[in-house]
Amino acid sequence: MRRVLLVAGVLCTSACAWGPGMHMDEGAFRERHAGKAGEGADDAFEIIPINAGLLSKQEAARKQARPAPKQDPLAEVAADYNYRVAPHDVLSVIVWDHPELTIPAGEFRSPEATGHPVAADGTMFYPHVGVIQVAGKTLGEIRELLTRRLTHVIERPQLDVRVVSFRGQKVQVTGEVAVPSSLPITDVPMRVQDAISQVRGFTPEADLRAVTLSRGGKTFTLDLQALYEEGDVSQNWLLQNGDIVHVPDRSRNKVFVLGEVRKPSSRVMVKGRMTLAEAIGDSEGFDPVSSNPAKLYVIRGNFDRPTIYKLDAESPDALLLATQFELRPHDVVFVSAHDLTRWNRIISQIQPTVQLLWQAIDLGDRAVILQSP
């Protein structure tokens, strides 16, 4: 029995790899992905140290990777914008010196009530003119058409045409905005930022970098954060009838902080930005008893092609590097346990078993003593 106890003790103390909890084995990581290195760069699966040289390379790559300005499909329309009447709009026609045509129902009614609604088929009725097609025409074109038709009953008519109720063309604004709603398109060009302003802006949970514009079965992604912070006006597209502007929430922009920190958790990035130091600080820092700051890892990408960065933060001045290392959504920050911590955990796990075996041996020895003459 004593031999069994001795063998169990040797096996349990021979390798810390048997310890409970997660730990980062750099050698096992390289072996696991060694056969896949040929699919990409030779160092695709290397553990990259976080140092000043790496930060300089990332900064240079960030500047080079800035996306080219977007091309607004309606840029030419925006340059010479002219509202075109749509079905369900209400028009007001003013014929000077002829009040019987301008306000035939009385002067104390609203313009919408006295106006001329455009039917669903795009036509409108007007006295002495009859039914005319107005949908798709500008106000100037409608004015010329009515003037030409009224010359048969009025000598040299002078008239003006206005839209008193814009009801025919709308855009939808949904998602993380203060008041999601539909907005009418008017004779003033409406861009994405104009629509956001009319719904009272974003909520605190909005992700400004991934605003989507759905149009004609296609979806475009606009970075409004670049518009506000960098003045990238190419993100501010002109809207047209049927557009849907959706502002997503930022819950997908998470960073996961695990391992030996005081408060392992997932952290939501603010405006899509978070540094390694912020992630550790928001998790209340390293666990002073169990952590090994010399093994701080950032795991990025998918399982088939991961990229792992390592920071030796055993010296506090190394955290200056962490303040400049930018994280990305879905990064995993892992703080490894100290070797002594893993050893103590192994001991705490095997202690009940050792005590049980020892008690069994002790009972066996007592039984032998009692049986001896």
Side-chain angles (χ1 to χ4, degrees), residues 1-14 350 354 357-358 361:
M1 186 63 71
R2 295 181 183 275
R3 291 180 180 178
V4 174
L5 179 62
L6 180 61
V7 171
V10 171
L11 290 176
C12 290
T13 59
S14 61
I350 68 174
V354 172
L357 294 175
W358 183 260
I361 293 173

Side-chain angles (χ1 to χ4, degrees), residues 31-48:
E31 292 178 3
R32 183 161 58 246
H33 297 285
K36 302 177 182 178
E39 298 177 5
D42 294 336
D43 59 347
F45 302 105
E46 288 297 317
I47 296 177
I48 305 172

Side-chain angles (χ1 to χ4, degrees), residues 51-129:
N51 50 36
L54 175 65
L55 296 180
S56 298
K57 291 180 180 179
Q58 288 189 341
E59 180 64 23
R62 188 182 302 113
K63 293 180 179 179
Q64 294 178 357
R66 288 181 178 176
K70 292 182 178 293
Q71 181 63 40
D72 187 350
L74 301 178
E76 295 182 0
V77 176
D80 188 22
Y81 182 81
N82 206 340
Y83 182 80
R84 294 187 177 273
V85 173
H88 308 296
D89 283 344
V90 179
L91 302 183
S92 172
V93 180
I94 301 174
V95 182
W96 301 106
D97 297 327
H98 291 274
E100 73 281 1
L101 293 177
T102 302
I103 48 175
E107 59 179 332
F108 297 107
R109 301 178 64 187
S110 64
E112 292 83 355
T114 59
H116 303 274
V118 181
D121 61 356
T123 61
M124 180 191 75
F125 172 79
Y126 194 75
H128 305 299
V129 175

Side-chain angles (χ1 to χ4, degrees), residues 242-255:
D243 284 352
I244 300 176
V245 178
H246 179 73
V247 181
D249 63 78
R250 61 189 183 101
S251 61
R252 295 183 180 181
N253 295 338
K254 284 186 176 181
V255 170

Side-chain angles (χ1 to χ4, degrees), residues 315-337:
S315 177
D317 59 350
L319 293 177
L320 293 174
L321 297 173
T323 61
Q324 302 177 54
F325 186 84
E326 294 285 344
L327 298 177
R328 297 179 183 175
H330 302 153
D331 278 355
V332 177
V333 178
F334 180 76
V335 181
S336 189

Side-chain angles (χ1 to χ4, degrees), residues 25-33:
D25 190 332
E26 297 183 14
F29 170 78
R30 290 189 176 92
E31 292 178 3
R32 183 161 58 246
H33 297 285

Side-chain angles (χ1 to χ4, degrees), residues 247-324:
V247 181
D249 63 78
R250 61 189 183 101
S251 61
R252 295 183 180 181
N253 295 338
K254 284 186 176 181
V255 170
F256 306 93
V257 185
L258 305 174
E260 304 304 320
V261 292
R262 292 179 182 269
K263 190 178 179 180
S265 59
S266 61
R267 315 299 303 179
V268 180
M269 306 176 78
V270 178
K271 294 186 177 180
R273 294 190 289 258
M274 179 176 289
T275 65
L276 179 56
E278 288 174 333
I280 296 297
D282 291 344
S283 301
E284 301 184 4
F286 301 112
D287 190 315
V289 176
S290 62
S291 67
N292 183 4
K295 294 184 177 182
L296 171 59
Y297 300 94
V298 176
I299 306 171
R300 177 176 296 168
N302 54 42
F303 184 79
D304 291 333
R305 299 190 62 82
T307 302
I308 296 186
Y309 301 92
K310 178 182 178 182
L311 175 64
D312 183 354
E314 191 171 17
S315 177
D317 59 350
L319 293 177
L320 293 174
L321 297 173
T323 61
Q324 302 177 54

